[in-house]
Amino acid sequence: MWLCILFSLPSPILATFAPNFKLNQIMKPTIAILAGGGPAPGINTVIGTIAKVFLTGGYRVLGLHGGFQSLFIPNPEMDEINFEHADNIHKQGGSAIRMSRYKPKDSEFSTDFFIRENVKLLVTIGGDDTASTANRIAKYLQEHAVKIQNIHVPKTIDNDLPLPEGSPTFGYQSAKQEGVRIAQTVYEDARTSGNWFIVSAMGREAGHLAFGIGAACHYPMIIIPEMFNKTDLTIRKIVRLIISAILKRKVLGITYGAVIISEGVFHFMSDTEIESTGINFTYDEHGHPELGNVSKAHIFNILVQRELKRLKLNVKSRPVEIGYEIRCVQPVAFDLLYCALLGMGVKKLFDQGATGCMVTSDPNGDISPLYLKDVEDEKGKVRPRLVNINSQKAKLVYGFNHQYITEDDYEAASKFVENPEEFDFYKILEWEKIEIV
């Protein structure tokens, strides 16, 4: 009878009234799940699947609100997930557990939560920052003789985690699908109105999302940071690439169009380069421009308009940002299955004793661990996966399905600008001509 009463008390309260009682001797083994970073379609599918398979196996499942911060505060906000709740959320967008970008310092680490709640597995859902932080915590627990497994589920719409070839990060396909819906509508508006649209797509460092959306929509110009593998990435070069597409379409007799740019290009620019735009930025406490407070599409549209005016080209352009509206959409069929496989894969790897790894599922659905130590740099950060600009896919898209000025267009383009060579795609990027063999 007294055990029933004890079980009815929340563990922090029990610890207060019965500090000498070793709750973890009778409490069910617990799985703790948290989500870090920004939202991505499929998070709830992962949470729901993990909960269902572990609940069926006799475990207790906790969903922690507030990301990593919940692990190291006295009274964390958390939900005990039951089967019905897990079954209800698996198809929904967003996240049933509140996310956070909070990154704890090593000095904040503690074993209290893990011991008090009898945690046997910490599941982290997130991108490279979340994976790196989880790895630090796992090392700390190991050093303090707390036996716990840690498995990371790779999540980001940026698709930039170093997974095996052919394996996307979950959420990417669903976000891309919604991005394509928006981008197609924008392209139709361009055709209908006779305008150009400057579209910016999320992508912190890599250009996967912009490339995937732009290629699917047959945008005449896709600008991603990986293109600048032979030359420095500058604002001026980006503007010239956009003008190159506008001029080529004019040569073809087409007065409208759209370009898409990955916001990841800013990652490779210095503060001086960004400030050279003349845009009025706010600044953070370290004196860096706060790019999150302004629309990247708006920045590029202003710069393109300035250049069009200088060239006396009568072209109207409008900015469109593709970002927050694609993060919490319902997952498409690909991610519903993929995330379920990853969730079940967590249980498979847990049963095998794996820890300090990411769960991966290849195109055949086979589950494998990818150990964080194998994809870390010398500072313990997970190395991002960039678009392979030398791949056949990239060469096909840029070689066959883009419109830009080359030497063959100089004479025709000279009707619109005095110096067409300034907008030569290959000379801007310092590329050799793309040969498709």
Side-chain angles (χ1 to χ4, degrees):
M1 178 65 181
W2 64 272
L3 285 176
C4 296
I5 296 172
L6 285 170
F7 269 125
S8 68
L9 293 173
S11 52
I13 296 175
L14 179 60
T16 300
F17 287 98
N20 296 321
F21 182 76
K22 295 182 179 179
L23 181 63
N24 62 359
Q25 291 181 354
I26 60 169
M27 182 185 288
K28 285 184 178 180
T30 298
I31 312 303
I33 307 173
L34 64 81
I43 291 176
N44 279 331
T45 311
V46 171
I47 295 170
T49 304
I50 291 173
K52 288 164 76 172
V53 295
F54 276 98
L55 286 168
T56 301
Y59 290 85
R60 173 173 170 253
V61 180
L62 294 178
L64 292 143
H65 295 285
F68 286 111
Q69 191 169 22
S70 293
L71 295 176
F72 308 117
I73 57 177
N75 297 300
E77 186 180 350
M78 57 188 180
D79 295 330
E80 186 164 340
I81 301 174
N82 60 34
F83 196 95
E84 183 178 7
H85 180 56
D87 198 47
N88 285 338
I89 65 172
H90 86 274
K91 61 184 179 299
Q92 298 174 3
S95 175
I97 54 177
R98 193 167 59 256
M99 308 178 70
S100 171
R101 296 187 184 277
Y102 184 81
K103 288 192 284 187
K105 300 175 183 177
D106 289 357
S107 59
E108 296 177 58
F109 290 174
S110 167
T111 61
D112 292 352
F113 171 82
F114 301 96
I115 295 172
R116 183 179 70 238
E117 301 296 341
N118 198 25
V119 176
K120 300 302 180 185
L121 170 66
L122 173 65
V123 179
T124 54
I125 303 170
D128 55 346
D129 278 345
T130 307
S132 298
T133 301
N135 205 22
R136 287 195 294 121
I137 294 170
K139 290 175 181 177
Y140 169 85
L141 294 173
Q142 185 178 21
E143 291 168 359
H144 289 74
V146 176
K147 189 175 181 181
I148 180 174
Q149 290 168 249
N150 161 232
I151 298 175
H152 183 72
V153 187
K155 172 276 313 171
T156 171
I157 63 172
D158 296 340
N159 197 32
D160 62 354
L161 290 177
L163 303 182
E165 190 70 26
S167 297
T169 55
F170 87 72
Y172 167 71
Q173 295 290 353
S174 299
K176 182 178 71 172
Q177 178 65 38
E178 180 66 9
V180 165
R181 185 191 66 78
I182 296 168
Q184 284 179 326
T185 303
V186 167
Y187 197 83
E188 186 60 26
D189 192 306
R191 186 194 65 79
T192 301
S193 63
N195 291 330
W196 274 79
F197 283 88
I198 312 299
V199 181
S200 173
M202 275 189 167
R204 182 177 55 180
E205 198 168 338
H208 295 283
L209 197 58
F211 182 84
I213 293 170
C217 296
H218 287 212
Y219 269 33
M221 180 61 67
I222 303 167
I223 300 174
I224 58 176
E226 292 89 339
M227 296 170 69
F228 298 86
N229 58 336
K230 300 289 181 65
T231 187
D232 292 337
L233 195 165
T234 66
I235 292 283
R236 176 160 176 73
K237 288 173 185 175
I238 291 172
V239 172
R240 284 161 61 197
L241 287 171
I242 296 170
I243 301 295
S244 183
I246 292 173
L247 287 173
K248 179 65 174 184
R249 299 272 280 191
K250 277 185 170 291
V251 169
L252 295 171
I254 303 170
T255 60
Y256 65 89
V259 301
I260 188 166
I261 310 165
S262 170
E263 67 177 33
V265 295
F266 286 101
H267 182 84
F268 298 92
M269 295 181 192
S270 66
D271 289 353
T272 302
E273 178 67 22
I274 294 170
E275 289 168 341
S276 72
T277 61
I279 303 295
N280 291 322
F281 292 101
T282 57
Y283 292 83
D284 64 19
E285 64 273 16
H286 303 292
H288 302 305
E290 292 183 309
L291 292 169
N293 287 342
V294 292
S295 160
K296 317 304 183 297
H298 179 73
I299 292 174
F300 285 117
N301 187 59
I302 288 176
L303 300 176
V304 168
Q305 283 291 326
R306 287 178 187 169
E307 184 68 1
L308 290 169
K309 186 176 181 179
R310 182 185 74 83
L311 296 168
K312 298 179 181 178
L313 290 174
N314 184 23
V315 176
K316 290 183 178 180
S317 62
R318 299 288 183 266
V320 173
E321 196 93 4
I322 297 179
Y324 293 110
E325 58 271 70
I326 66 176
R327 303 193 305 171
C328 285
V329 296
Q330 281 193 318
V332 298
F334 178 92
D335 277 324
L336 283 170
L337 174 58
Y338 184 45
C339 292
L341 287 171
L342 292 174
M344 290 180 275
V346 169
K347 181 64 162 64
K348 180 177 186 291
L349 295 182
F350 175 76
D351 290 343
Q352 293 174 349
T355 187
C357 64
M358 291 190 281
V359 58
T360 68
S361 173
D362 69 15
N364 295 321
D366 293 333
I367 300 298
S368 300
L370 179 63
Y371 287 92
L372 299 178
K373 60 182 176 61
D374 295 329
V375 292
E376 287 179 337
D377 62 18
E378 61 280 1
K379 295 180 180 179
K381 290 279 292 179
V382 175
R383 295 184 293 269
R385 173 175 64 183
L386 304 179
V387 173
N388 182 0
I389 204 68
N390 295 314
S391 68
Q392 186 175 113
K393 179 167 70 172
K395 289 181 178 179
L396 286 170
V397 171
Y398 283 108
F400 283 157
N401 210 29
H402 266 46
Q403 289 101 58
Y404 44 72
I405 295 297
T406 67
E407 286 185 8
D408 296 337
D409 301 305
Y410 287 179
E411 183 177 351
S414 65
K415 298 176 183 178
F416 306 105
V417 293
E418 291 182 3
N419 184 18
E421 186 177 354
E422 184 181 358
F423 305 100
D424 186 313
F425 178 82
Y426 291 110
K427 291 187 176 181
I428 295 169
L429 295 175
E430 299 182 22
W431 281 8
E432 297 293 329
K433 186 175 180 179
I434 297 172
E435 299 289 346
I436 310 295
V437 294

